[in-house]
C-alpha cells in the first residue's frame, strides 16, 4: 500500500546525501574526539569542521555553536542557565510555546522563583508587540523566550523586531528556532538573539543531534555536567555521527533552500485552495495565508459524524498527519496551542506538514481522502 507522509513538523526522513556523509565515519572512525592520539584527532577534526560549516551558515563564530542532543536540550540549556548564571529573574513567554520551553519555564518558576509574564495571543495565534515591549519595562533582569515558528499552527514571529526590542531594553532573547532552522536563512549578525535552538531531524538530518547558538559574550556553566567537551559548555562524549549528519543536512538545506521553499510553499497553497473550494465550512488555525511557516498547515474541518476518527481513518487510508484536538480544561490530552486559541471543540483539526519529498500528487491524494472520509457526513446544524 502506498503511504503518504504529511507529518514533517514532527520529523523528516533522512536525506540519502546525509546518510552518505555519515556512513564512512560510522564504518571507519571511532576515536573519542577528546583523545589526543591519531584516532581522536581525526574525529575531533571532523567535529570542528562541522561546527565551522554551521557557524558560517549562521554568520556566527564557531565558538557560538554548542552541540546538543537536539532542540529540547538547547531550549532547556538556554532557559535554565540564563536563570542560574545570568541573573534572570523574569521570563516573558507565550502559552503557544513547545513543551520544551513551557515546561522548562514552569520549572524555573518552581525551582528558582522566577516571575513569568505570559503573553496573550490573538485568535490568529499572533502576539502583540506592544505587550512584549510593556513586559520589558521592569528592573528585573528579563529573558524573553518566543518561538520563531509555531510547530502546530505555523505562525511566524517577527523575530528581528523582537530581538531588537529585547536588546534596546537590555533583556536577553531566546528563540526556539527548531521549526525554522534549515528552512529560513538566519543571520545572527542581523538578528540580535542571544540563544537559538536547532534539531537536525526537522530538516532531514539524524535524530538526537542539534545545537544551541549562544552569543559569545554570555558566560554560562554547562547544563549537563561532566567532562570539558564543547569547551566546557556541555559534558559528555560528542554524538560524532549525529553531528556530522547535522552539519551535512544544514549545508544541504541552505544550498537548496530557495528551490525547496518554492516547491513546498506551492504545495501548501494548493492544499489551502483545494480545501477552500471543495469542503464547505473549512478554515485554518493560525494565520495560514499570512505570516506562516511554509511547511505547516493546520486545518479546521467542520463538525462531522466521523470527525473524531479522521486521523485514524486517514492513517488506515495510508496518509500520516497529526492531530490537534483542543485541550479540554483539566485534561492533559489535546493540543495546548489550539486550547489557548479557544478553537471550537466540535470541529476536527488536522496538522498537515510538508517537506521537499512531498509531491503534488501526495497533496491531491490527501485532499481526496479527507473529502471521502468526512464529505458524506458533515453535520449540518
Ligand atoms: C518548536 C519545537 N521546539 C522544540 C522541539 C524539540 O526538538 P527535539 O525533538 O530536537 O528535541 C520541537 C520538536 O518537536 C519543536 O517543534
Amino acid at each position: 500500500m502506498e503511504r503518504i507522509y504529511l507529518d514533517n513538523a514532527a520529523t523528516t526522513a533522512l536525506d540519502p546525501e546525509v546518510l552518505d556523509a555519515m556512513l564512512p565515519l560510522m564504518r571507519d572512525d571511532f576515536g573519542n574526539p577528546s583523545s589526543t592520539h591519531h584516532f581522536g584527532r581525526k574525529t575531533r577534526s571532523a567535529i570542528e569542521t562541522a561546527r565551522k560549516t554551521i557557524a558560517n551558515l549562521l554568520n556566527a563564530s564557531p565558538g557560538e555553536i554548542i552541540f546538543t542532543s537536539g532542540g529540547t536540550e538547547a531550549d532547556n540549556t538556554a532557559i535554565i542557565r540564563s536563570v542560574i548564571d545570568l541573573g534572570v529573574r523574569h521570563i516573558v513567554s507565550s502559552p503557544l510555546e513547545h513543551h520544551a520551553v513551557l515546561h522548562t519555564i514552569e520549572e524555573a518558576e518552581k525551582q528558582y522563583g522566577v516571575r513569568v509574564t505570559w503573553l496573550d495571543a490573538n485568535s490568529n495565534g499572533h502576539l502583540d508587540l506592544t505587550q512584549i515591549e510593556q513586559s520589558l519595562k521592569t528592573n528585573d533582569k528579563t529573558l524573553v523566550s518566543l518561538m520563531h515558528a509555531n510547530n502546530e499552527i505555523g505562525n511566524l514571529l517577527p523575530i528581528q523586531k523582537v530581538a531588537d526590542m529585547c536588546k534596546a531594553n537590555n533583556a536577553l532573547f531566546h528563540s526556539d528556532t527548531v521549526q525554522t532552522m534549515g528552512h529560513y536563512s538566519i543571520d545572527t549578525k542581523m538578528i540580535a538573539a542571544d540563544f537559538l535552538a536547532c534539531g537536525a531531524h526537522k530538516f532531514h538530518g539524524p535524530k538526537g543531534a542539534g545545537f544551541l547558538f549562544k552569543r559569545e559574550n554570555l558566560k554560562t556553566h554547562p547544563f549537563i555536567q561532566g567532562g570539558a567537551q564543547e569547551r566546557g559548555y556541555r559534558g559528555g562524549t560528542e554524538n560524532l555521527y549525529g553531528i556530522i549528519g547535522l552539519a551535512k543536512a544544514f549545508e544541504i538545506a541552505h544550498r537548496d533552500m530557495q528551490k525547496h521553499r518554492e516547491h513546498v510553499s506551492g504545495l501548501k497553497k494548493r492544499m489551502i485552495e483545494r480545501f477552500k473550494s471543495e469542503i464547505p465550512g473549512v478554515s485554518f488555525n493560525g494565520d495560514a495565508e499570512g505570516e506562516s511557516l511554509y511547511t505547516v498547515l493546520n486545518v479546521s474541518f467542520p463538525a462531522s459524524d466521523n470527525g473524531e476518527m479522521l486521523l485514524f481513518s486517514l492513517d488506515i487510508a495510508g496518509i500520516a498527519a497529526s492531530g490537534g484536538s483542543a485541550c479540554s480544561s483539566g485534561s492533559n490530552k489535546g493540543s495546548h496551542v489550539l486550547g489557548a486559541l479557544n478553537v471550537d471543540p466540535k470541529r476536527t483539526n488536522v496538522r498537515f506538514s510538508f517537506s521537499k519529498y512531498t509531491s503534488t500528487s501526495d497533496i491531491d491524494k490527501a485532499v481526496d481522502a479527507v473529502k471521502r472520509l468526512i464529505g458524506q457526513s458533515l453535520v449540518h446544524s
Side-chain angles (χ1 to χ4, degrees):
M1 173 179 153
E2 185 197 13
R3 292 213 173 257
I4 294 172
Y5 184 75
L6 297 178
D7 198 17
N8 290 279
T11 197
T12 55
L14 194 73
D15 186 319
E17 260 193 89
V18 173
L19 182 64
D20 285 346
M22 291 165 73
L23 278 176
L25 272 103
M26 295 180 98
R27 220 174 1 238
D28 303 326
D29 298 313
F30 60 89
N32 187 321
S34 297
S35 301
T36 50
H37 48 60
H38 165 84
F39 295 91
R41 286 200 309 275
K42 193 156 180 229
T43 53
R44 162 66 48 218
S45 159
I47 287 179
E48 295 316 318
T49 303
R51 196 187 310 279
K52 273 189 210 137
T53 301
I54 292 168
N56 284 341
L57 291 165
L58 293 172
N59 198 11
S61 74
E64 293 177 311
I65 307 300
I66 302 165
F67 290 120
T68 65
S69 61
T72 302
E73 187 190 322
D75 287 334
N76 271 259
T77 305
I79 295 166
I80 295 296
R81 293 323 305 187
S82 291
V83 173
I84 300 178
D85 300 324
L86 303 173
V88 164
R89 300 304 306 148
H90 174 221
I91 298 179
V92 177
S93 191
S94 130
L96 308 187
E97 292 294 311
H98 189 274
H99 283 145
V101 167
L102 280 186
H103 291 165
T104 309
I105 293 177
E106 285 160 11
E107 194 62 15
E109 197 176 15
K110 254 197 295 187
Q111 294 286 335
Y112 305 103
V114 172
R115 179 167 67 88
V116 183
T117 299
W118 294 109
L119 302 166
D120 305 313
N122 69 16
S123 58
N124 267 350
H126 284 305
L127 304 174
D128 177 359
L129 292 187
T130 318
Q131 194 192 16
I132 300 177
E133 185 137 48
Q134 303 258 301
S135 72
L136 299 176
K137 307 286 175 220
T138 167
N139 290 328
D140 292 338
K141 182 73 186 169
T142 297
L143 169 74
V144 174
S145 178
L146 292 172
M147 66 209 312
H148 189 193
N150 187 281
N151 51 300
E152 291 194 38
I153 54 175
N155 280 42
L156 282 169
L157 179 82
I159 189 171
Q160 191 161 348
K161 275 192 192 152
V162 175
D164 289 345
M165 212 181 262
C166 291
K167 197 169 180 196
N169 287 279
N170 201 24
L172 292 167
F173 178 44
H174 159 242
S175 187
D176 176 340
T177 41
V178 171
Q179 289 290 340
T180 50
M181 282 277 182
H183 299 281
Y184 292 83
S185 101
I186 295 176
D187 182 334
T188 57
K189 297 280 186 294
M190 299 284 291
I191 296 169
D194 296 289
F195 301 99
L196 301 170
C198 172
H201 69 112
K202 305 293 187 184
F203 48 90
H204 309 286
K207 292 169 189 36
F211 65 83
L212 171 68
F213 162 84
K214 176 168 78 78
R215 216 140 310 253
E216 215 154 26
N217 58 319
L218 300 172
K219 299 295 169 229
T220 55
H221 291 103
F223 179 69
I224 294 183
Q225 312 292 333
Q229 289 92 350
E230 295 301 295
R231 301 168 319 288
Y233 288 126
R234 199 256 188 193
T237 300
E238 296 87 341
N239 173 7
L240 169 67
Y241 313 120
I243 290 170
I244 300 311
L246 157 68
K248 189 66 187 176
F250 207 55
E251 200 180 346
I252 296 168
H254 284 77
R255 183 191 72 197
D256 300 338
M257 193 174 281
Q258 193 55 31
K259 185 172 73 183
H260 291 148
R261 187 173 174 162
E262 276 165 29
H263 169 67
V264 177
S265 302
L267 298 174
K268 175 170 170 174
K269 199 155 173 255
R270 184 178 183 92
M271 189 174 245
I272 290 176
E273 294 308 329
R274 280 207 58 192
F275 277 141
K276 278 209 293 201
S277 63
E278 297 172 46
I279 299 197
V282 81
S283 62
F284 304 99
N285 296 310
D287 187 21
E289 294 175 271
E291 292 304 310
S292 185
L293 177 63
Y294 57 90
T295 52
V296 169
L297 180 64
N298 196 309
V299 190
S300 164
F301 295 107
S304 70
D305 289 340
N306 47 10
E308 270 182 30
M309 297 294 287
L310 183 58
L311 264 188
F312 183 62
S313 311
L314 278 171
D315 190 33
I316 290 178
I319 291 155
S322 86
S325 55
C327 207
S328 52
S329 59
S331 147
N332 284 328
K333 291 204 194 94
S335 152
H336 66 282
V337 174
L338 297 184
L341 297 184
N342 289 319
V343 302
D344 180 352
K346 289 200 287 295
R347 295 176 68 93
T348 306
N349 305 292
V350 179
R351 179 187 70 179
F352 296 99
S353 48
F354 323 111
S355 83
K356 60 183 179 182
Y357 297 133
T358 312
S359 68
T360 306
S361 126
D362 292 341
I363 299 293
D364 287 343
K365 285 176 186 159
V367 174
D368 292 343
V370 171
K371 279 174 63 188
R372 219 172 34 245
L373 292 166
I374 71 163
Q376 303 307 316
S377 62
L378 290 176
V379 175
H380 298 288
S381 56

